[in-house]
Amino acid sequence: MERNKVLAVAGLAVAVIALGAVITKIFLSIPQLRSVNDSVSPFAAILPKNGVDAGVAKFSSAEEFRQYLSQSQSSGNGAFGGGRAQAFGMAESAVAPSAKDSAGVTFTNPLAYSTASSGSSGQTGLRVSETNVRTEGMDEPDIVKTDGSHIYYSRPAQYYYRGGPIMLQNDVPASSGSAMPVDSQKIGIMPPTPTPVPTSKTEIFLTSGTGEAALLGTIGKTGETLLYGDTLVLFESTGQNILGFDISDRKNPKEKWNITVGSDSSILEARKSGNKLYLVERTGVNISEPCPIRPMTSGTKVSEIACTDIYRPGVVASADSVFTALYVDPSNGSVGDTVSFVGSSGQSVAYVSADSLFVTYPLPTDPVAIMLGFFRENGDLLSTDFRTRLEKLAGYDIGVDAKSMELARLLQNEMLGKSQDEQLRLQTEMENRMTDYGKKHLRDFGSTGIVKIALSDFSVKANGSVPGTPLNDYSLDEQDGNLRIATTSGGNGGGYFMMSGNVQSENDVYVLDKSLKKSGELTGLGAGERIYSARFIGDRGYLVTFKQTDPFYILDLSDPTHPKQTGELKIPGYSSYLHPLGTHLVLGIGRDQNKVKLSLFDVADPANPVEISKYLLDEYWSEATDDHRAFLADPKHQVFFLPGSQGGYVISYAGNALSLKKAIAGQGVRRAIFVGDTLYVIGDTAISSYDENTWEKRGELNIVR
């Protein structure tokens, strides 16, 4: 008798564990979830209903901030000590030729060139290339800049480590003998780093349209730069300083101001708009003493941000950092307007249009609420009493761990008295029905919140949300007050609801109005695949999804309330960067057969996109696939440049066919610029110049020192 009792208890324990494993599969595979029961918020007691649209508000006190962080951590939404900040995409420089294709779509070739004015910083009448940037209106820092008369080149920092000079990659020294650049596109323009002694410098070269180059002056710092007339702003690669240099005398640059970045902070991105400098900075938070935040010191003035000046969502979202957008006067380094908000170092994305900053954050959901939604639709599985108790549990103001323990107790009580046959039936039914439930509610299990901040006064203007998660800043774009955003829901790529059988991912595009309310949507693109690249150009959108083939989609976004897919093309490989070339051509840069693949798409007929040409480079990787700044297009000569591990490549797209025009051998080729009809190729060891009319070499300057 006693033995039978022990066996019965053991069988019950096994059944509860089996059911618990099914539920745990949900808990562990859904980092952020959107509540099925939206009317119930377990955090309502600590979050006051104020702010923009009752969705975004400032913390009322330091204690509220601490409670928010504690809830974020205990709810499984925090990422304390982990994650890596996404590169923040911002807006573009202004001078770029454009044209309309036969379908009336405006294509802008971002920053193809400008015409330099006369004076100390430019040559008269010569075409001068500019950095390839994200959107029109703001320039981006890079390791190479030119004003038409000079080249400003800051080689990736070298550090002495274990007896030899090497580069850093992702803050970690590469193996000896392997030179790798700092990956600023992935870890921020100024990541926190150790304190080695750099051996590289920023060098200023005199150039001309005839291909001559000569060293004028040096700055004993290295990093990425922006030009403001006779002021060079340098973001030091050590991550410690932003420096302003007077370069009116190029032979003798002089430091005129210095901003020191806080020890727990890093500058993710910087953007130039006219004579303004915008920064986005991230500061890790200490849950025991989260504020004031001290992101930087300008001269002797320390910037301090109080808890009550930090915005947060109306629900407890993933939070391990405070992001601060701020304005800096490049003439003197003084810090002006700021706005701060909580976010996740590994999951927040930002995009800046000409007028606004958009910041995304993952929205959470109580996993018990997900179980409640499941049992509401599958009421025949367990008793009415169990569902009633689960309804109450979903509304409790307690952490996820406590709810999970209570859920296990409810399940144990529910299983009492059931035979092993019935327990096995329930386990099997739940497993199958949960998979079906996941497919049906794919977009309910993960969503992204969005905050809109005006650049004019750094005020929060609106907030909204969409299902799924964006890939990067290219997944967002604003036109005529409408925000277009592409997201992936489900599947391994989406990082959300994964059951047995693996719920297939799908990709969507949403159009939000100026108040970030949804005005239109296009859903269900690329079932089983995820977004690898996105580009919005005028009234069109272009998406590439990938799993085994490379679907290239054309979207018509001319009616914000009814976006639609007009064409699709499936080809091998994938494109991770899309760039418009001319009136009806889009270039895709990606990979196929373990090589860099270049695809030229004719999109004149939006219903019938065609890959009219492709070219494979004998390269495993190009920096241009991950960093758009490494790419240069010259529409006059119908060529573009991209670097590889073996050298640099000039590719022609004349006659709508891709062909290799010039290969420049040598490791460490970083960038190319043009002045007039001279192409300068800049690398770690030399600057070489080529006549773009004949592609003959004009000269070479050895810069090894």
Side-chain angles (χ1 to χ4, degrees), residues 4 43 64 135 172 216 232 243 292 356 363-364 449 501 592 609 612 645 666:
N4 290 339
F43 310 114
E64 184 190 344
T135 43
V172 179
L216 285 181
L232 181 74
L243 305 153
S356 303
L363 283 171
D592 186 26
I612 56 176
S645 62

Side-chain angles (χ1 to χ4, degrees), residues 229-442:
D230 286 334
T231 297
L232 181 74
V233 177
L234 187 145
F235 301 84
E236 196 176 2
S237 59
T238 61
Q240 300 301 310
N241 298 290
I242 307 171
L243 305 153
F245 289 90
D246 180 351
I247 55 171
S248 55
D249 180 0
R250 265 71 176 177
K251 295 181 180 180
N252 186 30
K254 295 181 179 179
E255 181 181 325
K256 60 179 181 177
W257 57 261
N258 185 318
I259 292 176
T260 302
V261 179
S263 59
D264 296 326
S265 302
S266 58
I267 301 298
L268 297 178
E269 284 293 355
R271 291 298 179 266
K272 170 190 173 184
S273 176
N275 62 350
K276 295 182 179 180
L277 173 60
Y278 294 105
L279 304 178
V280 177
E281 176 270 353
R282 180 181 69 84
T283 302
V285 292
N286 182 339
I287 194 170
S288 61
E289 190 178 351
C291 44
I293 300 297
R294 298 180 179 91
M296 59 183 57
T297 300
S298 177
T300 59
K301 184 177 180 181
V302 179
S303 296
E304 285 198 355
I305 299 168
C307 288
T308 52
D309 288 328
I310 300 172
Y311 284 94
R312 47 88 181 144
V315 296
V316 176
S318 180
D320 64 358
S321 304
V322 172
F323 294 89
T324 300
L326 52 95
Y327 163 74
V328 172
D329 186 340
S331 67
N332 56 26
S334 62
V335 178
D337 294 335
T338 66
V339 62
S340 298
F341 40 89
V342 294
S344 168
S345 62
Q347 302 174 71
S348 291
V349 175
Y351 154 70
V352 172
S353 68
D355 304 311
S356 303
L357 165 65
F358 296 89
V359 181
T360 75
Y361 55 91
L363 283 171
T365 285
D366 182 356
V368 172
I370 296 296
M371 293 304 301
L372 177 59
F374 171 77
F375 285 114
R376 281 174 174 171
E377 293 191 13
N378 296 274
D380 61 311
L381 282 177
L382 300 177
S383 68
T384 301
D385 180 65
F386 173 82
R387 295 197 305 275
T388 300
R389 293 178 182 274
L390 188 60
E391 293 269 3
K392 293 182 179 179
L393 177 60
Y396 288 164
D397 183 15
I398 58 177
V400 169
D401 292 342
K403 283 189 177 183
S404 299
M405 293 178 63
E406 181 63 17
L407 178 58
R409 189 186 68 80
L410 292 178
L411 281 171
Q412 183 176 1
N413 291 339
E414 181 69 11
M415 299 303 291
L416 286 172
K418 295 188 185 323
S419 67
Q420 292 185 3
D421 291 346
E422 177 63 8
Q423 292 168 10
L424 180 60
R425 184 192 73 83
L426 286 172
Q427 175 186 339
T428 305
E429 278 293 297
M430 284 185 65
E431 188 84 24
N432 282 277
R433 293 196 195 184
M434 281 184 175
T435 299
D436 294 337
Y437 183 76
K439 293 177 181 178
K440 180 180 178 181
H441 294 274
L442 176 67

Side-chain angles (χ1 to χ4, degrees), residues 4 33 55 198 211 213 220 227 278 335 384 393 434 446 465 489 492 503 511 534 546 571 575 613 621 676 690 695 701:
N4 290 339
L33 299 170
L227 276 172
Y278 294 105
V335 178
T384 301
L393 177 60
M434 281 184 175
S465 65
S489 292
N492 294 324
V503 176
V511 181
F546 179 74
I571 54 177
S575 297
S613 185
W621 174 82
Y690 301 87
W695 294 108
L701 176 65

Side-chain angles (χ1 to χ4, degrees), residues 391-700:
E391 293 269 3
K392 293 182 179 179
L393 177 60
Y396 288 164
D397 183 15
I398 58 177
V400 169
D401 292 342
K403 283 189 177 183
S404 299
M405 293 178 63
E406 181 63 17
L407 178 58
R409 189 186 68 80
L410 292 178
L411 281 171
Q412 183 176 1
N413 291 339
E414 181 69 11
M415 299 303 291
L416 286 172
K418 295 188 185 323
S419 67
Q420 292 185 3
D421 291 346
E422 177 63 8
Q423 292 168 10
L424 180 60
R425 184 192 73 83
L426 286 172
Q427 175 186 339
T428 305
E429 278 293 297
M430 284 185 65
E431 188 84 24
N432 282 277
R433 293 196 195 184
M434 281 184 175
T435 299
D436 294 337
Y437 183 76
K439 293 177 181 178
K440 180 180 178 181
H441 294 274
L442 176 67
R443 290 168 182 80
D444 293 333
F445 299 115
S447 60
T448 295
I450 308 168
V451 176
K452 179 181 180 180
I453 298 167
L455 289 181
S456 59
D457 58 2
F458 279 51
S459 62
V460 175
K461 292 298 184 183
N463 69 280
S465 65
V466 293
T469 182
L471 172 67
N472 54 27
D473 57 283
Y474 274 97
S475 298
L476 292 82
D477 185 83
E478 185 184 31
Q479 176 173 284
D480 299 331
N482 295 310
L483 180 70
R484 296 87 66 89
I485 178 170
T487 64
T488 298
S489 292
N492 294 324
Y496 298 121
F497 192 78
M498 290 183 284
M499 302 293 188
S500 61
N502 190 12
V503 176
Q504 278 195 337
S505 60
E506 292 187 2
N507 306 287
D508 309 326
V509 173
Y510 299 93
V511 181
L512 310 180
D513 64 18
K514 64 181 180 179
S515 299
L516 295 187
K517 304 302 181 185
K518 186 172 69 176
S519 60
E521 64 180 32
L522 174 62
T523 62
L525 300 170
E529 301 183 339
R530 65 184 180 91
I531 294 173
Y532 262 59
S533 59
R535 192 79 190 236
F536 296 94
I537 305 169
D539 288 336
R540 282 201 193 163
Y542 300 92
L543 294 184
V544 171
T545 62
F546 179 74
K547 187 173 183 180
Q548 293 185 8
T549 60
D550 177 2
F552 175 76
Y553 296 98
I554 296 183
L555 313 178
D556 181 355
L557 306 172
S558 56
D559 182 353
T561 63
H562 293 94
K564 58 185 179 181
Q565 176 189 333
T566 60
E568 176 183 353
L569 175 66
K570 291 187 177 182
I571 54 177
Y574 67 86
S575 297
S576 57
Y577 176 63
L578 299 174
H579 190 93
L581 291 174
T583 58
H584 58 270
L585 300 176
V586 172
L587 174 70
I589 305 175
R591 286 171 52 81
D592 186 26
Q593 302 175 21
N594 291 323
K595 293 184 177 182
V596 173
K597 179 188 179 184
L598 308 173
S599 294
L600 191 62
F601 300 104
D602 186 335
V603 295
D605 181 357
N608 185 34
V610 179
E611 185 187 38
I612 56 176
S613 185
K614 68 177 181 179
Y615 196 91
L616 293 178
L617 293 176
D618 188 21
E619 294 276 4
Y620 182 78
W621 174 82
S622 168
E623 188 178 355
T625 61
D626 297 324
D627 187 346
H628 57 270
R629 298 172 302 176
F631 178 86
L632 173 72
D634 185 348
K636 176 182 177 181
H637 294 281
Q638 294 187 289
V639 296
F640 58 85
F641 168 90
L642 67 164
S645 62
Q646 303 178 74
Y649 302 89
V650 178
I651 307 294
S652 170
Y653 59 93
N656 292 348
L658 296 175
S659 63
L660 181 62
K661 183 65 68 172
K662 187 70 178 179
I664 300 96
Q667 293 184 345
V669 172
R670 305 294 178 188
R671 297 289 189 271
I673 63 169
F674 58 78
V675 178
D677 290 326
T678 299
L679 183 77
Y680 291 89
V681 177
I682 299 103
D684 290 340
T685 60
I687 297 177
S688 53
S689 60
Y690 301 87
D691 186 332
E692 289 192 271
N693 295 301
T694 64
W695 294 108
E696 294 180 355
K697 193 171 187 177
R698 284 184 162 178
E700 181 170 295

